[in-house]
Amino acid sequence: MSSSEARDHTLTPRLNEFLTKSDIEYAGKFFKLQESSKLSYIDFRSFLNRFNLTYHDDDFLNLCLKMDPNRDNFITWKEFVSYLFLELQIDDNAQDALSTTLPIAQPANIFLSKNRSDILRIHFIDNNFVFASTDSHGIYVTIGCFGDICFWSLKWRMKSIIFADEVPETELPIIELSDKKLIKKSSKTLILDAVILTDLKIICISSVCCDLRFYDCSTINKCILRLYVRNFPYLISALHYHKPIDNKRNAQLIIGDFNGTVRVIDFMKNFELDFRTGSILRQLSHSELMKNIHGTMKCREFVRTHQDVVTQVSFIESVNSFISSAQNILSKSSYAPSVVIQSLSDIHSHSNPQVVFRMNGGTTCFDFHQPSKMLATGGPDFVLRLWDYHMPKKMKASMVGHNSGIQSIFFQDSATKLYSMDKNKIVNVWDVKQARLLQTFQDLTKTFTKNVSVSAFYNEDFREFIVASRRIAYFKCQPKIDLNKTDGFTDMSPISLILFNKLFGFLVTCSKSSSIIIWDVWRGRKVNLILEAHTRLKHNEVDITAGCFDPTQLFLLTAGSDGTLKVWDMKSSELLRCLTVDERVVSVFWLEERIIVVSLKDITELIDLSSMKEKISFGKCWRKCHHGEIKCATVHDLKILVTSCTSGDIIFWNSEMGQPYMRFNVKDPTQQLPAVYKKIFLKSDVHVKQNTRKQKTKQNKTLKNFEERLDFNLAQDSSPLMVQRLLFLLNRPSHFTNGTILAALSNGKIQVWSHHNRREPFITEFDTNCMNGDVITALATDTQNRYLFAGSHFGYIKTWMISNFWYVVDCILSSTINGEIFTSNQVNPKLLNCYQGHKKPITNLIFSDRNEIMISSSYDKSVRFWNLSGQYIGTIGSPMKWTNLSANKGVPPDFNYRIPSDLRSVEIDDFDIESQSQVSNIPRESSEPKTDATGNLQFHDLVQKALHTENEKNEKSHQRSEKPTLDFSLAYKQH
């Protein structure tokens, strides 16, 4: 591969994609020949050129820093090999498709059943059945153990209830005295099993009278007994109805009894017509059925297929066979046939048409996946077993995790997941490929006790699992994402924090459910997944509230709402260190050789944890001077820390000394307040003398007067003005008139401050034109501080041009936009675009300068990508196809932009925006926007027009209650 071809790659070359086994062997010999078996950065670049691997300067530097954790400017053979393993691990995790959501993510919905007796069976029927004509997707049917039948909508609203007719006592078969007494004591016959013949509109029931009853349900509110088959040798324990897909074969009813015998009844084409002819009850004995006296029914009998009670029967279409299972409780042999697959097309040949699976204790339930021909069985010995249809004598795998007999199992997602429920009503979810437990769901144990008999049913179409007795409980099992309503989700819970690692090019997302996901951001795939990263309390999940990287970008620090701090290795995602502070952490900053932890009530300084010493050392003690809980904080490279609390105070700190030097309140930003201190103690102090009452009174005199005055102000305003977010403009030169700090307030305005001016740091404020009740919840800027990005509580993203605002220089400011020259005399910045990115509050914004891509996270569980013009690129973690992005270039020119599925129905009303925040004068009916080489709209042209727009002489006064207009002509213009 030539060097030019390497540069044309969309993504940075990965070593494991280009180096072969012989290349790695050559590299090992090459390293051994070098002095001390290591290469300098320059020599290493020459070494890679031998394999035609070329990198941009920035990419090559990042590659060397990844391999060189010691920062000694040399790469050893061990460091080179460990990096190759890291790339292989990333590829393996991407292929395994790490799941970011629990299979059962929502609690079960539970309600009282309308059936008059315990529910015996649950069925789902399509819209061809009675009562289903009003429901286009079908209905549920629950059958009670005494013949009461309820019809439900898909949302479990009862539509009707009917009762099955009883057989006249004169028609009942002659049975033993004990059974006769049982019948006389009850007005209804006890039902053992029931099945619905959906295409025939018939319900078939087996009872304790050793019979089969066929009910006509073709009319509304009636269930008429039409056919009665009596005098079966044994009680019927299991029923299953199969309708062939091709309609060339007959429909079949499979019956299993208490003696281990299986029967197959074939229904001829004219059975339905003959079934509904006449109004007289037709009766048929078992012997007459076997002699095929009834011309429309043909029965085949497989005597003693099992040696015990048949527990379940089903049909396998692909091999034209029925499958049955039985327990081995009454059998003398411990390895009697537990599961039998009997062929129905070759029963008279000399070859054995049976496939027999044997296991100790038998089988209570099973599920067969036809495409892969995989069989899963569950028994009374608490063990789940996986089998191959072609290898019945050798079990593929066994999974242990239940504490009682297994009652119901089913496959999902092409047999990649297996769900199982035991008699304790505990549902386990298994990874079939790795034979490991994914989740244990225990919500049903509160509703159904251990001794309660329940019926279970899985609706494959709607991925819904239903468990019922006197109550009905249902929940979704890994529900599919409707791409017409949403583009998918990044995590299983709201995203609380996102961080971008510039060294590895990874995006770290942290959620409210205490999960951390590391993404190869430009390839759109997962690198690693950490579940329950912080301690999970009982009935309370610990969400991740703050995080940052160390200066070398090799370690990740996360903080939880319970005050826990954890350090992770970015290469291996291993936990390296864990410690705890007293309060909920608001922000963390990893500076050179120390860490600043900002919690709700105080600020703690820790010694640099990169050395990973066993003993934790605390740094200097910070003063307490906040009247309220700390809301947010930001830090500057010049050792400046700015914090704000719920009372609206903004405090400027010298982070090296731990001392505040300025204090203001956003309600009156021009008046400086005294630094009011609270008495604190060092964590290392053990012997602390208590002050006398006089000393306390003297020390708290100033504090008491200030608190009384502040409490009076708060009483006048029930909702005090607070700071929602703070942002440092790090690239602004040191000048007392340059705005370097932005504070987003709870009234929708943004204040501009300068930390260089210690007398009057407040510069100005401007209105963000938020809707009534909307506030700014996230702030971001680019490296050069040209643009200001803001995310709001209602999910909107706004972009302002700030390169020539709050920035005073001696000469005219020459903007880099198309070479035009603009003066810096405008009062407020220009709003370039505004668009809705999410339907829920935005939590974080990150802007990538190299490819001009905006990344936003929200409480709607998604992290989305946008170009500079506000056009939607995609949602990371979405099931939709991800287009690889370049870390150095913009979006490709031929990229197919579209609108997110959940935002297509958003209706935007036109309104006027003030001239100070005018978007542009481009009309909505203008021609299709042009794109530049990066694939963006000609955003810089729009910026130029926005900066040249003249201010209106008579500005309109807008009330905050008015709903603002969002000009989507820039954001969502489709090609």
Side-chain angles (χ1 to χ4, degrees), residues 887-920:
N888 303 312
K889 302 178 181 178
V891 184
D894 57 347
F895 189 85
N896 184 21
Y897 294 101
R898 58 185 182 85
I899 302 175
S901 302
D902 57 337
L903 300 180
R904 291 175 184 169
S905 59
V906 176
E907 296 181 359
I908 305 300
D909 299 331
D910 292 336
F911 75 106
D912 294 330
I913 302 181
E914 292 180 315
S915 60
Q916 294 181 352
S917 59
Q918 188 78 19
V919 177
S920 66

Side-chain angles (χ1 to χ4, degrees), residues 583-765:
E583 299 289 341
R584 176 188 178 97
V585 179
V586 176
S587 299
V588 289
F589 305 102
W590 197 323
L591 306 178
E592 293 292 339
E593 299 181 353
R594 60 199 176 101
I595 295 175
I596 298 177
V597 181
V598 182
S599 58
L600 288 177
K601 294 184 179 179
D602 58 0
I603 302 174
T604 306
E605 185 173 317
L606 306 174
I607 300 301
D608 190 351
L609 300 181
S610 59
S611 59
M612 302 304 155
K613 298 179 181 179
E614 294 183 0
K615 186 177 179 181
I616 301 174
S617 301
F618 290 90
K620 55 184 168 293
C621 190
W622 290 59
R623 294 282 186 175
K624 289 187 177 180
C625 54
H626 292 92
H627 192 274
E629 295 180 345
I630 300 177
K631 184 77 174 177
C632 53
T634 185
V635 72
H636 192 277
D637 295 338
L638 299 176
K639 316 305 180 185
I640 303 298
L641 176 69
V642 182
T643 60
S644 180
C645 60
T646 53
S647 62
D649 289 350
I650 291 184
I651 303 176
F652 296 78
W653 303 78
N654 186 330
S655 61
E656 287 187 338
M657 304 296 296
Q659 298 289 337
Y661 64 88
M662 283 193 302
R663 176 178 179 153
F664 291 85
N665 192 281
V666 294
K667 200 167 186 179
D668 188 6
T670 58
Q671 183 177 2
Q672 186 169 356
L673 301 176
V676 181
Y677 303 113
K678 296 182 180 180
K679 181 64 180 178
I680 61 172
F681 306 103
L682 293 175
K683 295 182 181 292
S684 59
D685 268 341
V686 180
H687 305 286
V688 181
K689 295 182 179 180
Q690 296 182 353
N691 294 328
T692 60
R693 182 174 299 179
K694 293 182 179 180
Q695 289 174 334
K696 289 183 178 180
T697 304
K698 185 177 180 180
Q699 290 175 354
N700 297 333
K701 185 176 181 180
T702 307
L703 174 63
K704 184 177 180 181
N705 295 335
F706 175 76
E707 289 181 349
E708 289 178 354
R709 185 168 66 255
L710 185 59
D711 291 339
F712 175 77
N713 294 334
L714 295 179
Q716 301 297 323
D717 188 2
S718 58
S719 57
L721 194 60
M722 294 186 299
V723 178
Q724 300 291 333
R725 284 290 183 272
L726 288 170
L727 176 67
F728 246 118
L729 302 178
L730 301 177
N731 199 45
R732 290 292 175 96
S734 298
H735 194 277
F736 69 95
T737 57
N738 288 343
T740 56
I741 302 172
L742 302 180
L745 307 184
S746 57
N747 60 359
K749 294 183 179 181
I750 294 181
Q751 290 185 352
V752 184
W753 300 73
S754 174
H755 71 282
H756 302 295
N757 191 342
R758 296 200 174 189
R759 293 184 177 181
E760 297 178 356
F762 176 74
I763 296 179
T764 184
E765 66 178 17

